[in-house]
Amino acid sequence: AEAAFVRREAAVKEAVVNFQTRRTSRDGKEFPVSLTQTVIRDEQNRPLGYSLIIRDTRLQTKLEQQMRHSERLAAMSVLAAGVAHELGNPLAVITNRVECMERELRSRSNGEFMGEDLAVLREHAERLDAVIKDLLTLGEEEGEASQRIRLNEVAERVIRLLDRTYLARDVKIEKEFAADVPALQGSPEAVATVCMNLLLNAIDATPPGGGIVVATRCCKGCTGAELEVRDTGPGIPTEIRHRIFEPFFTTKGAGRGTGLGLAVCHTIVERHGGEIRVDGETGGGTRFVVCLPIEASRERWTSNAFS
């Protein structure tokens, strides 16, 4: 039916150009192709036959899909920032009212049951506030002045903050800090956010009794500094590895993650002019490496993530 259609169109219009269809390869898998068929005529303008060109468009199709995907991510970033601003104001009012009610309750020295309810409300409000901050970080970075970043000090501070978390999970954290790590320029708090998210993911992935290694060192050629976080968890399946930095993509169960952590990390690292990569096979743990340059222009690390 397709061949009849193409020939009929070619006979009427003299040519069928870039007709999109599919063909089957030798291994039985379908793939996209583009057909161009043209009528061949003799000197008396009588049709002699057809010229048929078949182009494999798998690469073009893949690039188009990636472009559409990038456009969706860009739109999602703008939407996320807008939603975060809309939620931020009423959430601030709710948090403020909860604080007022807690103070009133303490002054009366009764109402223990209501106090527990208010504590639950505060906990969930704080969780929503953290999500909003992640959304805002994903969409745009605050325009703070560039500061000196000492990577060892940032990593040490984050590890101390998570002290109770990894002890409660029976996970051991080992530090491998190089002494000659160069100082960087950028946002120390943003880099701390990267370290925090990578460590929290590693703690979630590591089974009780396992271990996590946090390492720092110079990049090759001493052009910057590297932060490495590796765990002894189950690893990341190869088939989903290309999606782990997408906003809202998560393999955690409901209520355990928003899927923003690695997306925020990727955004922050790119703004600092660096790169983040992941290694490791399924069953063999995961290794994240962040490489940050010594000098990163302020315009780069404060610009829109998808500009």
Side-chain angles (χ1 to χ4, degrees), residues 37-78:
Q37 184 158 312
T38 308
V39 178
I40 299 176
R41 298 182 180 275
D42 61 13
E43 295 177 353
Q44 284 74 38
N45 202 33
R46 292 174 299 190
L48 297 177
Y50 297 92
S51 167
L52 176 63
I53 300 173
I54 303 178
R55 294 185 178 89
D56 183 341
T57 60
R58 276 176 287 195
L59 179 58
Q60 178 182 343
T61 302
K62 184 177 180 180
L63 291 174
E64 289 173 352
Q65 290 173 346
Q66 290 176 345
M67 184 178 297
R68 288 194 296 270
H69 184 64
S70 297
E71 290 172 353
R72 286 198 299 269
L73 292 183
M76 187 181 296
S77 173
V78 175

Side-chain angles (χ1 to χ4, degrees), residues 26 31 39 41 51 81 90-91 97 101 104 120 137-138 192 210 222 228 230 233 243 257 290 298 304:
R26 291 179 180 177
F31 63 97
V39 178
R41 298 182 180 275
S51 167
L91 183 61
R97 294 301 182 187
M101 293 169 70
E104 179 69 17
V120 171
T137 303
L138 181 68
C222 204
E228 176 184 334
R230 62 181 185 266
R243 297 193 60 195
V290 175
R298 180 180 181 277
N304 187 281

Side-chain angles (χ1 to χ4, degrees), residues 171-183:
V171 172
K172 182 180 178 181
I173 291 188
E174 181 180 347
K175 295 178 287 187
E176 296 179 356
F177 293 170
D180 60 345
V181 178

Side-chain angles (χ1 to χ4, degrees), residues 202-241:
I203 292 171
D204 282 341
T206 303
I212 298 170
V213 175
V214 182
T216 62
R217 56 181 170 269
C218 289
C219 292
K220 290 182 180 179
C222 204
T223 57
E226 280 188 353
L227 169 70
E228 176 184 334
V229 177
R230 62 181 185 266
D231 60 56
T232 55
I236 301 174
T238 305
E239 60 270 18
I240 67 169
R241 193 169 299 169

